Amino acid sequence: MENKNQPKKKTQLSIIIRDPIEKFNRSGINCLKFEKKSSRSDQANLDRLYTAGRDSTIRVYSNLVPNTNDPSRYQADNVDQYYQMSLSHHTDWVNDIIVCKNSNRLFSASSDTTVKIWNTTKGSLLTTLRNHKDYVKCLAYAKDKQILASAGFDKNIYLCDVNKAVSISSTDLDTNTISDNKYSIYSLAINNQATVLASGSPENCIRLWDPRTNSKLMKLRGHGHNIRYIVLNRDATQCLSASSDHTIRLWSLGQQRCISTIEIHTEGVWTLCVNEAFNKVYSGGKDCRIYATDLRNSDESVLVCEEPSPILSIDLGSEEESLWVSTTCSTFKNWNLKPNENLSWSHLKNPAKINDINLRPLNENNISQSGASSMSSSFLMQNPINTNPLINIPGTSCIKHYHILNDKRYVITKDSNENVCVWDVLQARRLEFLGKENFENTIKLRQRFISVPNWFSVDLKLGVLTINFDESDWQSAWINFKDMDSNHVRQTQNIDLSDAKINYGHIFLESLFKTCPLLNPNQLQTCGNVIMNSQQTNSAPHSIISKDVERDQPGLLRFNIPDHTPIILSETGGRTLHRLEVKDLSKESEQQILSKVIPTWISEALSGKIAPKFNRINFVLNPFIQNQKVVNKERLSSIDLLQVKKLKEHVYSKILKLDQTSENNQNDSNNNNYKNSEPDESNVSNDSLQQANRKIELICSDQVLSDPEMNLRTIKHLIWKGTGDLTILYRQK
């Protein structure tokens, strides 16, 4: 039972800056599945390939025909010939997928802690299962009983009836839970009748269960490291496992022992693929090699191909004549299982055809050297049977490095192809593609001498820019309008903003949720993202500019955020609560969900109930005395946006009192009558500012503060750089 006294978890808002349609994988492909069309005469349904990416997207490709005479067919420019659609509701890595051919369903497991069920015909999401509390790493499906099993880092195995899952609310769905595991679960398998369930973990043993009663059946011990992949044969009498200890083991469940150990890989084995007859296994992993092994005679294995990156997933192609392979890079390939023309099978120790589907079924009586470790003789042969893939589907680049500029609005990135780009967080879009420019030089050229507080963070886990906004600091970035890059701002009213102060966080929230009736019912600017002058610095900010109704355009300080931009609400550092796109904000169904999950800090900000507070800086303002140490330490306090020109005016009129005609006031200039006073931005005439700028000079850290628009925050963080109170000296020119 949930503890009501437990502190409420903080909620985080995130957006993903990406292209409208992402047709290419941007990062490693954790899983791929090939779906063969129902019959050769079925022209309407083409063979399909599904890829589960580390960029959170499941992509569907079709019309992938090997042996094409057109070498350019699968180049990036021709992607529309084979790309079909994307399934994009996950918010973190998609770790595993299962395609259920008979019912046009696809199951996916993700590090966002959810399991999703999709309709592969319409490309629509049917339901989301939220049982898990941590990463979901693996799935297993008993197709005869339509039972779906899922497991992951929360150490639990959940089993659910798929038909019930798609027909009722996930909150009302009863799931069968196996919770006696002591370790995170990395691999899972179940037979079609749902009578045996196997799981693998860093416990280094395989646990077997009866999912009908949740009872333990046995443990199979022998591996020396994490068990990364498990396969059960059709009648659940044998089990095949792959481990990070670089071995593959074949187990007899009846005898409860290992009957064959295959040692052909030099590093961890991460994935397996077994043919329909369960007599041939294809394996791959960290050593970047794929081997084919005859399970009846595990002494002989064949090196099928070598990849440049560690192998994450393998699946057999049409007629079991080729192999689909994905790796930690964004490209996936199709390899022929027949030797190339320059290499005959007679050169191999095993003369049998590797794609011979008429091999007799495997049984425990025809295993040679049962239970013994066997090193394949072909392992020593360095040349694979094929060096060029039949099909090579390219991926695209992922962002590897980023730098947030001092203005805390623009981000410079460099991707895996060394291309440099400039991004605008307020607009949630890419501004410039600079190509292969020097990353460090680009940062230096575009860096401004300004200090703005951090109000967002950046995450590159998905290979694209994910921008995160936390409750604690989203509204901390106040900036003077003159310091804001206004090239992309459209002014709808003739208003003088020379002294306006802008809050980045409020501008962004208004721009993001401007089309959501739930959060912005009048479609007007409700947040206080602008304060017009210094008289309002101690009061609640208020809205000054509304939507241009006639042109249906955003107002002065709103931006058009792309409709395809994903919005993610999640627990800070934890589970995803909801995901939608900007274009969906006006939908009634989405508003019903948002009303339950939207964090209070967002709703109150958009309704004007809360206003951002200004940051204040304590500083010391003393006269400059040549070659003498300043002893006077009278502390002043002001908002961190106070500009040099206003500080000069304070010295000019309030301390030195040079704007008064009385000589007596001049003589009192060095008195302490300015103690505990605060520089005041209000009621300052332009003439007084000009006089002060001509006659007063301010110095900090032996540097003259010559820019009248520079503020205290910039002085403290970029010039003073000290730990104590900021110290500024003044003198008359």
Side-chain angles (χ1 to χ4, degrees):
M1 181 179 295
E2 186 177 354
N3 185 3
K4 294 183 179 180
N5 296 324
Q6 187 176 358
K8 186 177 180 181
K9 293 183 179 180
K10 291 185 177 181
T11 305
Q12 176 179 276
L13 169 69
S14 304
I15 64 165
I16 300 175
I17 305 179
R18 63 170 199 180
D19 294 333
I21 302 177
E22 297 270 346
K23 298 180 180 180
F24 299 100
N25 288 283
R26 282 194 173 272
S27 189
I29 303 171
N30 285 330
C31 186
L32 54 71
K33 296 294 181 183
F34 177 77
E35 180 186 27
K36 188 180 182 301
K37 62 185 179 182
S38 55
S39 65
R40 291 186 178 275
S41 61
D42 186 2
Q43 299 298 325
N45 296 318
L46 298 172
D47 292 347
R48 284 182 170 185
L49 188 78
Y50 301 83
T51 63
R54 291 183 173 181
D55 57 3
S56 79
T57 301
I58 302 167
R59 292 176 178 85
V60 186
Y61 300 92
S62 63
N63 200 25
L64 299 174
V65 182
N67 300 319
T68 177
N69 295 322
D70 182 6
S72 65
R73 176 180 176 83
Y74 298 109
Q75 293 181 359
D77 294 341
N78 296 323
V79 63
D80 290 332
Q81 295 186 21
Y82 52 88
Y83 169 81
Q84 193 167 38
M85 61 181 168
S86 294
L87 310 177
S88 308
H89 279 273
H90 281 296
T91 60
D92 207 334
W93 288 12
V94 184
N95 296 316
D96 198 7
I97 56 174
I98 292 177
V99 180
C100 185
K101 302 176 183 179
N102 297 332
S103 58
N104 295 321
R105 290 172 181 164
L106 180 141
F107 314 119
S108 59
S110 170
S111 294
D112 64 11
T113 75
T114 68
V115 175
K116 295 184 183 292
I117 303 178
W118 311 79
N119 182 309
T120 56
T121 303
K122 299 179 180 179
S124 59
L125 178 64
L126 297 177
T127 191
T128 299
L129 306 178
R130 303 180 183 274
N131 301 309
H132 290 277
K133 302 298 186 293
D134 208 334
Y135 292 177
V136 190
K137 290 292 293 182
C138 49
L139 298 172
Y141 183 60
K143 62 181 181 180
D144 292 350
K145 299 295 184 179
Q146 298 191 48
I147 298 295
L148 177 67
S150 60
F153 286 2
D154 61 3
K155 307 175 187 177
N156 292 328
I157 302 173
Y158 292 96
L159 299 103
C160 73
D161 186 314
V162 172
N163 289 329
K164 292 181 179 179
V166 298
S167 60
I168 63 176
S169 170
S170 59
T171 57
D172 299 327
L173 180 66
D174 291 329
T175 56
N176 185 14
T177 307
I178 300 176
S179 56
D180 290 338
N181 297 284
K182 298 180 181 180
Y183 296 83
S184 298
I185 299 171
Y186 282 77
S187 54
L188 206 60
I190 192 171
N191 67 329
N192 289 335
Q193 292 296 322
T195 57
V196 176
L197 175 70
S199 64
S201 71
E203 188 181 7
N204 304 345
C205 71
I206 301 171
R207 288 175 174 258
L208 288 108
W209 318 79
D210 184 341
R212 297 166 296 184
T213 60
N214 290 4
S215 57
K216 299 177 184 178
L217 296 178
M218 66 187 81
K219 284 185 181 180
L220 301 176
R221 299 184 181 275
H223 280 297
H225 212 290
N226 188 12
I227 298 166
R228 299 294 298 267
Y229 208 94
I230 301 175
V231 184
L232 289 171
N233 68 347
R234 184 179 295 274
D235 56 5
T237 58
Q238 292 178 334
C239 174
L240 199 63
S241 60
S243 171
S244 294
D245 65 7
H246 70 76
T247 68
I248 304 165
R249 290 177 181 265
L250 181 64
W251 308 82
S252 168
L253 301 191
Q255 300 178 34
Q256 298 188 25
R257 69 181 186 92
C258 175
I259 56 177
S260 180
T261 301
I262 304 168
E263 294 184 279
I264 51 178
H265 291 274
T266 57
E267 296 190 70
V269 188
W270 292 350
T271 184
L272 301 174
C273 179
V274 183
N275 65 350
E276 187 70 21
F278 205 82
N279 55 27
K280 191 177 300 299
V281 61
Y282 304 91
S283 58
K286 194 175 181 180
D287 62 2
C288 308
R289 294 184 165 198
I290 295 179
Y291 287 94
T293 303
D294 184 351
L295 292 177
R296 302 168 309 152
N297 184 10
S298 58
D299 288 342
E300 300 297 341
S301 297
V302 175
L303 178 60
V304 177
C305 61
E306 289 185 273
E307 289 278 1
S309 304
I311 294 156
L312 296 177
S313 185
I314 306 170
D315 201 17
L316 283 165
S318 181
E319 306 300 329
E320 298 186 2
E321 294 179 349
S322 64
L323 207 61
W324 289 101
V325 179
S326 69
T327 67
T328 54
C329 71
S330 57
T331 299
F332 62 94
K333 301 172 185 176
N334 181 261
W335 292 90
N336 193 356
L337 288 179
K338 297 178 180 178
N340 62 34
E341 296 178 356
N342 299 323
L343 181 66
S344 68
W345 285 98
S346 60
H347 289 87
L348 302 178
K349 296 291 184 180
N350 182 4
K353 290 185 178 181
I354 194 168
N355 65 325
D356 185 358
I357 60 175
N358 295 318
L359 291 172
R360 65 187 184 276
L362 177 68
N363 62 68
E364 294 158 20
N365 296 322
N366 59 28
I367 299 268
S368 64
Q369 301 177 4
S370 296
S373 173
S374 59
M375 176 68 72
S376 170
S377 58
S378 63
F379 169 70
L380 300 176
M381 187 187 72
Q382 297 299 314
N383 295 323
I385 63 172
N386 278 297
T387 56
N388 295 314
L390 296 173
I391 299 175
N392 185 352
I393 304 296
T396 191
S397 59
C398 62
I399 299 175
K400 292 292 188 180
H401 306 280
Y402 75 91
H403 185 88
I404 304 173
L405 296 182
N406 285 348
D407 57 17
K408 299 303 188 293
R409 174 177 175 181
Y410 299 109
V411 180
I412 311 295
T413 63
K414 183 172 73 171
D415 64 25
S416 53
N417 291 334
E418 305 295 322
N419 292 314
V420 176
C421 296
V422 182
W423 308 78
D424 184 355
V425 174
L426 285 180
Q427 295 191 83
R429 68 178 75 231
R430 187 178 70 186
L431 291 183
E432 296 181 69
F433 176 82
L434 302 178
K436 291 177 171 52
E437 294 285 337
N438 184 278
F439 183 59
E440 288 74 19
N441 288 345
T442 301
I443 294 171
K444 291 179 181 179
L445 289 173
R446 293 174 181 265
Q447 197 70 277
R448 297 172 58 197
F449 196 78
I450 188 174
S451 176
V452 178
N454 295 319
W455 62 287
F456 66 87
S457 61
V458 174
D459 189 347
L460 300 182
K461 184 179 181 181
L462 303 183
V464 292
L465 278 182
T466 301
I467 311 296
N468 302 317
F469 307 91
D470 290 319
E471 180 179 359
S472 58
D473 55 13
W474 72 275
Q475 56 181 345
S476 61
W478 280 103
I479 188 172
N480 290 308
F481 183 76
K482 285 187 176 180
D483 291 329
M484 179 181 178
D485 181 2
S486 57
N487 292 333
H488 308 286
V489 177
R490 189 180 70 83
Q491 187 164 347
T492 60
Q493 300 182 30
N494 186 20
I495 299 177
D496 180 16
L497 292 176
S498 58
D499 288 331
K501 295 171 176 57
I502 310 302
N503 188 274
Y504 276 164
H506 276 263
I507 291 174
F508 180 79
L509 276 190
E510 286 189 346
S511 302
L512 186 66
F513 291 104
K514 67 188 178 187
T515 61
C516 180
L518 174 70
L519 300 174
N520 194 4
N522 299 320
Q523 300 291 292
L524 296 176
Q525 189 168 3
T526 57
C527 277
N529 61 32
V530 180
I531 288 183
M532 285 304 298
N533 55 55
S534 58
Q535 292 177 331
Q536 298 165 348
T537 56
N538 294 319
S539 61
H542 67 280
S543 175
I544 61 166
I545 299 170
S546 62
K547 183 178 177 181
D548 185 349
V549 180
E550 294 182 359
R551 299 185 181 182
D552 194 32
Q553 294 292 325
L556 174 65
L557 293 176
R558 275 190 180 169
F559 295 91
N560 283 321
I561 294 179
D563 286 343
H564 65 269
T565 303
I567 302 172
I568 301 167
L569 296 170
S570 60
E571 296 173 352
T572 302
R575 305 176 65 192
T576 298
L577 301 175
H578 189 51
R579 181 198 183 277
L580 73 162
E581 295 181 358
V582 170
K583 63 185 176 184
D584 300 325
L585 282 168
S586 58
K587 295 180 179 178
E588 185 176 350
S589 58
E590 293 293 347
Q591 292 177 57
Q592 291 177 356
I593 299 174
L594 283 174
S595 65
K596 300 176 182 178
V597 300
I598 197 76
T600 304
W601 62 269
I602 293 180
S603 59
E604 289 186 349
L606 289 171
S607 64
K609 293 181 180 180
I610 61 172
K613 297 180 180 180
F614 285 97
N615 300 315
R616 302 187 70 83
I617 288 180
N618 294 324
F619 65 101
V620 176
L621 187 61
N622 282 319
F624 176 83
I625 303 176
Q626 188 72 32
N627 298 326
Q628 289 189 22
K629 185 177 180 181
V630 177
V631 179
N632 189 10
K633 290 290 183 179
E634 298 301 333
R635 299 177 69 193
L636 301 176
S637 177
S638 178
I639 64 170
D640 59 1
L641 292 180
L642 182 71
Q643 296 169 308
V644 165
K645 64 182 181 181
K646 302 293 180 65
L647 193 55
K648 284 183 176 181
E649 198 282 332
H650 176 76
V651 173
Y652 178 77
S653 62
K654 299 294 178 63
I655 299 178
L656 300 179
K657 300 187 177 179
L658 296 177
D659 62 339
Q660 300 187 22
T661 58
S662 173
E663 190 174 291
N664 292 331
N665 291 336
Q666 295 253 358
N667 294 331
D668 294 334
S669 61
N670 290 325
N671 293 338
N672 293 334
N673 56 4
Y674 59 90
K675 289 182 181 180
N676 300 322
S677 64
E678 177 178 334
D680 187 6
E681 293 186 77
S682 62
N683 302 320
V684 177
S685 65
N686 289 331
D687 182 64
S688 180
L689 287 173
Q690 292 172 5
Q691 291 290 337
N693 194 48
R694 285 196 300 266
K695 296 183 178 181
I696 303 300
E697 194 169 60
L698 300 181
I699 302 167
C700 180
S701 297
D702 298 325
Q703 180 175 334
V704 175
L705 306 178
S706 56
D707 183 1
E709 306 296 334
M710 188 184 300
N711 59 48
L712 286 179
R713 186 171 60 209
T714 300
I715 296 170
K716 179 175 182 178
H717 294 291
L718 300 184
I719 296 178
W720 174 249
K721 299 180 182 178
T723 56
D725 286 342
L726 168 65
T727 299
I728 299 176
L729 306 178
Y730 64 86
R731 67 186 176 191
Q732 287 184 250
K733 292 183 180 179

